[in-house]
Amino acid sequence: MGEIAGKFAGLILDMDGVLYRGERALPGARELFPALRANGISFILLTNNATLTSEEFSAKLSRMGISVPPDAILTSAGATAIYMSEHYPEGGGVTVIGSTSLLATVTGMPGFRPEGWQPDFVVVGLDLKFNYDALQRACSAIRRGAHFIATNADATLPVEGGEQWPGAGSIVAAVKTCAGVAPIVIGKPERHMADMALELLELSAEQVLCVGDRLETDILLGARAGIPTALLLTGVASREDVAGAEAAPDYIFEDLAALMSALGIS
């Protein structure tokens, strides 16, 4: 009870497997954010899912009774757009393998525009309609010198029923194999998203707790960025998985209720 009360001024929270599973809120998710606000703990939600915009994720959460504004949600698509704007301020043409939301997010930044045949950038995310033609065009563009940027490298995508479907990383791997060029990867566990989250929270790494259900993304992200981490056992990883992980969590909690109790906000 209250073992980490008063220790953290902010939280970085994963979404799927922490706040909800599929279209169902997990126990404690609706109560978490009012409690954080009441106790002056800031938060930001990070997700590797680039198929929806922050506004669409906010609406999805709202349908579950969870109130989080879009500006408190950073997707790998949003992080990719920020990265491109900061590192390539001159902009350019962009070919996107991914959702319409990813295309809108990236080309919504000043100076960037859709470009089908001779792009300056090839951005790859999860594309449920990925085909050979898209692979060929992406590889040819990268070989001609286009920058290759991946929203994330998640090989698989957990779906309801316990199955694992091909994730964005599987498509990224196909493009990498064909083009012979490694991408810049933006999403977790790369540090880009952690650094952006800390900047948005206006807090230092030691003031923040990074909470997630996946050892290879959420927990490794925190470890690489020097952010304390907490594993929730409501999603992918189990206690038994920790021994073989590249980075072990600083804390392990059964669920959101246990996390809130440890923070002293339940």
Side-chain angles (χ1 to χ4, degrees):
M1 294 286 290
E3 64 182 279
I4 54 175
K7 189 170 183 178
F8 299 106
L11 295 185
I12 292 173
L13 292 154
D14 182 42
M15 296 171 65
D16 196 355
V18 171
L19 302 178
Y20 58 80
R21 192 180 297 120
E23 297 297 325
R24 284 188 171 186
L26 288 169
R30 296 185 182 94
E31 296 77 20
L32 174 63
F33 297 101
L36 290 174
R37 294 182 181 105
N39 286 272
I41 300 174
S42 57
F43 58 85
I44 187 163
L45 277 51
L46 295 192
T47 177
N48 270 357
N49 189 330
T51 62
L52 301 177
T53 64
S54 296
E55 289 77 13
E56 289 167 334
F57 270 116
S58 179
K60 175 175 179 169
L61 291 170
S62 181
R63 290 193 295 272
M64 301 181 209
I66 304 169
S67 178
V68 177
D71 61 5
I73 302 172
L74 180 62
T75 71
S76 63
T80 297
I82 292 170
Y83 177 90
M84 291 173 64
S85 181
E86 290 178 348
H87 288 79
Y88 307 101
E90 69 280 4
V94 185
T95 285
V96 167
I97 294 177
S99 68
T100 55
S101 294
L102 174 58
L103 176 63
T105 300
V106 171
T107 58
M109 301 299 281
F112 294 92
R113 66 186 187 281
E115 173 56 61
W117 294 104
Q118 292 188 321
D120 303 293
F121 304 89
V122 174
V123 176
V124 180
L126 180 63
D127 188 340
L128 301 181
K129 297 180 180 179
F130 180 61
N131 58 32
Y132 187 88
D133 180 62
L135 176 63
Q136 180 273 317
R137 288 190 290 109
C139 291
S140 294
I142 293 166
R143 287 201 201 99
R144 287 195 300 266
H147 299 285
F148 179 17
I149 301 174
T151 61
N152 69 84
D154 294 349
T156 59
L157 174 72
V159 296
E160 291 187 73
E163 285 191 75
Q164 297 283 330
W165 288 8
S170 295
I171 299 173
V172 171
V175 177
K176 176 183 175 182
T177 300
C178 175
V181 175
I184 298 166
V185 181
I186 304 300
K188 300 180 285 187
E190 304 304 323
R191 280 198 56 165
H192 302 295
M193 287 188 81
D195 291 339
M196 291 175 192
L198 292 175
E199 185 174 343
L200 290 167
L201 289 170
E202 298 183 339
L203 294 171
S204 60
E206 62 271 13
Q207 293 177 289
V208 175
L209 183 65
C210 183
V211 181
D213 69 307
R214 296 182 73 124
L215 292 159
E216 73 279 12
T217 53
D218 307 311
I219 304 307
L220 185 54
L221 173 78
R224 287 179 173 177
I227 302 171
T229 56
L231 177 69
L232 256 60
L233 302 177
T234 49
V236 174
S238 66
R239 287 184 187 272
E240 293 71 30
D241 294 328
V242 172
E246 182 175 339
D250 296 292
Y251 309 96
I252 301 176
F253 299 109
E254 289 293 332
D255 50 26
L256 284 172
L259 171 65
M260 292 168 69
S261 177
L263 289 168
I265 63 171
S266 56

